[in-house]
Amino acid sequence: MDTKDLWVLDGGMGRELAWRGAPFRQPEWSALALMEAPETVREVHQAYAASGARVITTNSYALVPFHIGAERFAAEGERLAALAGQLAREVADEQGAVQVAGSLPPLFGSYRADLYQAERVSELATPLVRALSPHVDLWLAETMSLIAEPLALKALLPEDGKPFWVSFTLEDEAPGSEPTLRSGERVEDAVTALASAGVDAILFNCCQPEVIEGALKVAGAALQAQGRTDVRLGAYANAFPPQPKEATANDGLDEIRGDLGPLDYLGWAERWRGAGASLIGGCCGIGPEHIEALASRLR
């Protein structure tokens, strides 16, 4: 895999589902559409693929007890994850030249490193991995707030030869400060740990576009120090205003910034490309029109 070959990823799922009229509320978030309107999930995948995304991500992000409840997770979590994988796989196969990333979410709540329970990772992640495995081309542990969680997830993956990507969410601090995960851990330490564990790509997502460029530069330097020029870097920001330290992602539909239209977002993506990113897409609030701008200009 050429690390300089740019891959455009897809954008956010939740707001696209809501915009298209799918049932959408807390606490189920994007999982509700899988339960009640799976065709809308397919439509969103199709929109991203048509916009030029080379990778589409399974709608399995909210399939955790934090969103759907412990009882429903135990009864339906694996079946819903299999459906999420199947929907993405069908669209990818229809389009051709599109890969499917199996989304492995934060198991205990987005942004909430303080809620992490190491002893429960296998219990919650194993059904998701088992269900998604037949349908995905690569694994994506996304919106990770601390170093320990993706390391624990990696240990549960099958030895299937599929790439393992990890995407960390960053503190929305002012640019110029040292970039840190939402746990407070340093980006340099996160990159060093994951590179040592054999990760294939390190990305940054679900945070302000302003903080990503600095994180990419730190990540690139850390990989260079380890001689890991084979590890790809990537980014997919959200379109929210800065989130406070005590925030929990997906508490509700946050206001969308007015300065992150498709061409504005493209400007940030070009800076990430210059900082070494070769995997670029969008997170919450970034839609097919943004992805189309990335695909048409960056490639």
Side-chain angles (χ1 to χ4, degrees):
M1 180 187 297
D2 183 357
T3 58
K4 295 181 180 178
D5 177 25
L6 178 74
W7 287 21
V8 174
L9 314 180
D10 61 4
M13 175 62 73
R15 287 173 185 277
E16 282 300 306
L17 289 170
W19 181 77
R20 291 166 190 271
F24 192 83
R25 62 171 185 261
Q26 279 290 58
E28 294 94 341
W29 202 251
S30 56
L32 192 59
L34 276 176
M35 302 170 191
E36 299 181 9
E39 280 303 312
T40 314
V41 177
R42 185 196 303 273
E43 289 174 13
V44 175
H45 287 318
Q46 289 171 331
Y48 282 124
S51 296
R54 186 167 175 178
V55 178
I56 56 175
T57 305
T58 60
N59 183 31
S60 46
Y61 188 88
L63 295 180
V64 291
F66 184 88
H67 281 293
I68 66 173
E71 185 175 341
R72 177 174 270 169
F73 178 81
E76 298 186 70
E78 188 164 345
R79 179 187 68 81
L80 290 169
L83 176 58
Q86 178 186 339
L87 290 168
R89 180 78 266 155
E90 289 172 355
V91 171
D93 289 346
E94 289 165 4
Q95 296 289 329
V98 173
Q99 296 204 29
V100 174
S103 173
L104 299 176
L107 300 173
F108 307 99
S110 304
Y111 297 4
R112 295 299 303 272
D114 59 310
L115 298 181
Y116 178 68
Q117 301 171 55
E119 70 279 4
R120 297 193 65 206
V121 170
S122 178
E123 168 199 348
L124 301 184
T126 298
L128 301 180
V129 170
R130 188 163 52 225
L132 291 170
S133 185
H135 308 292
V136 306
D137 300 296
L138 62 98
W139 297 102
L140 173 61
E142 56 179 339
T143 323
M144 297 286 107
S145 294
L146 72 166
I147 297 170
E149 188 162 12
L151 291 175
L153 290 171
K154 186 177 189 302
L156 298 173
L157 294 179
E159 294 187 8
D160 53 13
K162 296 175 182 177
F164 179 50
W165 297 2
V166 173
S167 192
F168 290 107
T169 180
L170 305 167
E171 282 287 4
D172 287 328
E173 301 290 354
S177 59
E178 181 181 15
T180 62
L181 311 188
R182 294 191 188 269
S183 61
E185 295 165 303
R186 300 191 311 155
V187 165
E188 180 179 358
D189 295 333
V191 172
T192 299
L194 270 296
S196 296
V199 72
D200 296 282
I202 295 173
L203 305 89
F204 302 102
N205 81 297
C206 210
C207 48
Q208 295 287 286
E210 287 86 348
V211 301
I212 288 178
E213 184 179 5
L216 287 168
K217 290 178 178 178
V218 169
L223 292 173
Q224 191 72 28
Q226 284 196 298
R228 291 298 310 276
T229 56
D230 58 318
V231 178
R232 302 184 74 160
L233 292 175
Y236 52 114
N238 63 32
F240 301 156
Q243 299 294 294
K245 285 183 179 293
E246 66 274 13
T248 299
N250 299 348
D251 266 349
L253 280 174
D254 289 290
E255 177 188 353
I256 293 294
R257 288 171 51 171
D259 60 347
L260 284 179
L263 294 182
D264 304 302
Y265 192 75
L266 173 64
W268 288 110
E270 288 172 333
R271 294 177 65 163
W272 304 335
R273 183 74 168 128
S278 62
L279 305 167
I280 301 178
C283 202
C284 310
I286 302 300
E289 65 279 6
H290 295 80
I291 301 308
E292 184 175 13
L294 297 183
S296 62
R297 292 280 290 274
L298 289 183
R299 289 211 296 247

